[in-house]
Amino acid sequence: MGKYFSFFEQISLYSNILYTLISSIRFRTRVKLTLVKEVNILTKSDYMAEKILKEVNILKSKKILHPDDSVENVLLNHGETKEWADVFWRRRYQHENRSDPEIDLVFETSPTSVLEIGTGYGRILKKLDKERQRKKLSTKLFGIERCKHMESYFLLFKKQQPSLSDVEIYYENFFRSKQFRKRKFDVIVLPMNTFPSFHSKLDLLFRTVKNYLSEDGLFIFTSYKIPQNRTKEERRKGKYSGELLVEEEKKPILLEAFRFTETEGPYGIETVTYLIYYRFFEYYSIHKKYIYRLEHFVPQKNQIEKIITENGYKVKFFNDESHSLVFGCQTI
Ligand SMILES: C[S@@+](CC[C@H](N)C(=O)[O-])C[C@H]1O[C@@H](n2cnc3c(N)ncnc32)[C@H](O)[C@@H]1O
């Protein structure tokens, strides 16, 4: 007879499995890996390749990467991949308790249209839909998401809330959108601290948003607050974490993450993270391994204000009472 595990038993079971897996992978003596050498969407310049080589060597010395791993195996297109969509979807239960302070601000001006940039599997759109119903507004909701693999997850999500059926999501890159050419939105929202991930394209972000904002339209975004309790020493140390993502009737994914030392740049804290995904066959034998490199940037209030004014916008409101810095701005 099958045994039923309670929620806490499952957590404990999974953490034991995770521990065993990470230990066996770290000291890989017997594990045969299939390394993924996909063609990168971004080509690596010589300078970048040299930087990555140094990082890869550090990760090898820490036994986070295998001696056979090479710069060639490091992928730079994380945001568009199936790995990203699968992991974000598998984290949906963790997201359930998240508060999203930007939601309250979206409907303050009773907008007729709202566009969310980077919809993921539709978590925020679901909240916006509930809010427009609560306020008895007929606001039309739109979304744009560059990761096409999110679409099937949005469809699953929509089944739980059929009123999402009039929401239009376009699966393409916001900067290269063909769908929105002549459209204008009263509110454009970029939630869940996604703003800093556009670190190298902030000018383009503000320029593109301007093209799609109606007159007096509002651009709302949130950005990370630097935890006050982290010492300089802690920020200098690299940070390792591991996570086992289990989904009913699907193959498990093990995610290892290593964040390199944070440095102080002109627009805030800068850092590089490596995400290593192991996809398993059933019974936890490794099927494929993917290594992704991500650059991060965490600007703070005065730095964001500077970016806003440099790009021809003014701050309409600001709030830092929640876990995030919340900005609402308008073009000048
Ligand atoms: C942190 S997730 C947030 C998802 C969702 N807004 C939420 O709060 O649950 C950020 C999303 O933005 C998407 N994204 C990043 N850059 C994008 C771009 N240039 N165009 C469209 N979507 C983008 C990513 O693929 C990712 O799904």
Side-chain angles (χ1 to χ4, degrees):
M1 213 173 40
K3 180 170 176 0
Y4 172 77
F5 290 104
S6 76
F7 177 70
F8 292 106
E9 277 174 325
Q10 282 187 49
I11 298 261
S12 136
L13 179 71
Y14 290 147
S15 35
N16 285 336
I17 296 173
L18 178 63
Y19 178 79
T20 318
L21 275 172
I22 292 181
S23 318
S24 71
I25 287 161
R26 285 293 197 79
F27 304 102
R28 290 163 201 119
T29 46
R30 288 153 293 142
V31 189
K32 176 104 179 68
L33 297 174
T34 313
L35 277 170
V36 176
K37 288 192 185 183
E38 281 173 3
V39 177
N40 266 307
I41 285 177
L42 308 173
T43 45
K44 293 167 196 146
S45 64
D46 290 350
Y47 167 72
M48 189 57 118
E50 215 171 287
K51 249 174 121 174
I52 297 175
L53 179 63
K54 275 191 197 149
E55 292 159 2
V56 164
N57 285 337
I58 293 173
L59 293 172
K60 282 184 188 178
S61 70
K62 291 181 179 294
K63 300 211 175 354
I64 291 168
L65 287 184
H66 189 272
D68 290 348
D69 291 337
S70 73
V71 174
E72 234 187 299
N73 302 121
V74 178
L75 305 165
L76 305 176
N77 60 335
H78 179 250
E80 290 166 22
T81 63
K82 176 124 175 52
E83 281 62 59
W84 162 240
D86 288 354
V87 162
F88 200 61
W89 172 250
R90 285 173 193 216
R91 285 191 183 141
R92 66 194 178 284
Y93 299 114
Q94 297 168 27
H95 298 157
E96 262 173 17
N97 297 329
R98 193 189 147 85
S99 71
D100 298 288
E102 50 279 61
I103 303 278
D104 296 340
L105 308 169
V106 168
F107 293 103
E108 271 199 353
T109 50
S110 306
T112 55
S113 57
V114 173
L115 168 69
E116 183 196 1
I117 309 172
T119 54
Y121 56 78
R123 193 183 67 86
I124 293 284
L125 285 170
K126 192 175 177 185
K127 288 190 176 185
L128 292 175
D129 175 41
K130 282 210 167 126
E131 194 58 12
R132 72 175 168 175
Q133 289 180 46
R134 199 180 65 81
K135 296 204 161 191
K136 298 192 172 43
L137 290 168
S138 54
T139 310
K140 179 96 176 98
L141 300 176
F142 296 86
I144 186 157
E145 168 57 59
R146 72 172 168 175
C147 180
K148 289 189 175 62
H149 304 281
M150 293 283 187
E151 187 170 12
S152 55
Y153 292 132
F154 176 66
L155 295 177
L156 289 176
F157 210 50
K158 205 158 72 169
K159 277 193 189 154
Q160 300 165 7
Q161 198 166 301
S163 53
L164 280 169
S165 59
D166 72 330
V167 174
E168 282 181 46
I169 302 187
Y170 299 97
Y171 290 92
E172 54 180 2
N173 190 324
F174 177 59
F175 300 122
R176 295 195 286 270
S177 168
K178 292 190 183 74
Q179 307 287 343
F180 291 146
R181 285 266 153 84
K182 288 196 181 95
R183 253 190 219 281
K184 298 279 179 195
F185 303 94
D186 294 343
V187 173
I188 298 183
V189 60
L190 178 62
M192 211 188 186
N193 304 335
T194 307
F195 177 78
S197 69
F198 292 104
H199 58 100
S200 58
K201 300 191 198 96
L202 286 174
D203 295 352
L204 182 61
L205 172 69
F206 281 104
R207 231 179 17 250
T208 314
V209 165
K210 200 179 280 186
N211 287 341
Y212 297 124
L213 266 187
S214 50
E215 221 186 311
D216 295 327
L218 202 57
F219 176 35
I220 300 169
F221 63 84
T222 51
S223 196
Y224 294 107
K225 252 191 200 171
I226 296 179
Q228 300 299 321
N229 52 359
R230 289 226 330 270
T231 62
K232 267 211 160 133
E233 201 42 53
E234 279 172 323
R235 282 172 30 198
R236 233 175 268 131
K237 267 200 237 150
K239 190 169 176 275
Y240 171 83
S241 61
E243 200 177 347
L244 181 64
L245 295 142
V246 182
E247 180 83 12
E248 221 180 316
E249 289 170 23
K250 289 206 170 150
K251 289 160 190 164
I253 300 173
L254 172 67
L255 173 60
E256 283 190 283
F258 186 82
R259 197 176 62 208
F260 278 91
T261 309
E262 294 171 358
T263 54
E264 207 66 63
Y267 281 115
I269 287 173
E270 292 168 12
T271 177
V272 169
T273 298
Y274 274 72
L275 295 175
I276 304 149
Y277 293 86
Y278 297 91
R279 280 197 181 267
F280 293 93
F281 285 122
E282 267 104 329
Y283 311 115
Y284 297 96
S285 65
I286 293 172
H287 170 45
K288 271 191 175 163
K289 172 185 175 187
Y290 300 80
I291 306 167
Y292 291 104
R293 180 187 191 272
L294 269 75
E295 286 186 355
H296 291 274
F297 144 87
V298 187
Q300 285 309 283
K301 185 179 178 231
N302 55 345
Q303 289 156 329
I304 297 178
E305 280 168 349
K306 191 162 178 273
I307 299 168
I308 290 174
T309 44
E310 277 172 2
N311 282 285
Y313 285 72
K314 60 176 186 267
V315 177
K316 194 83 175 123
F317 57 73
F318 167 75
N319 190 315
D320 62 357
E321 282 159 22
S322 65
H323 48 77
S324 297
L325 307 175
V326 187
F327 282 90
C329 50
Q330 282 181 325
T331 55
I332 297 170

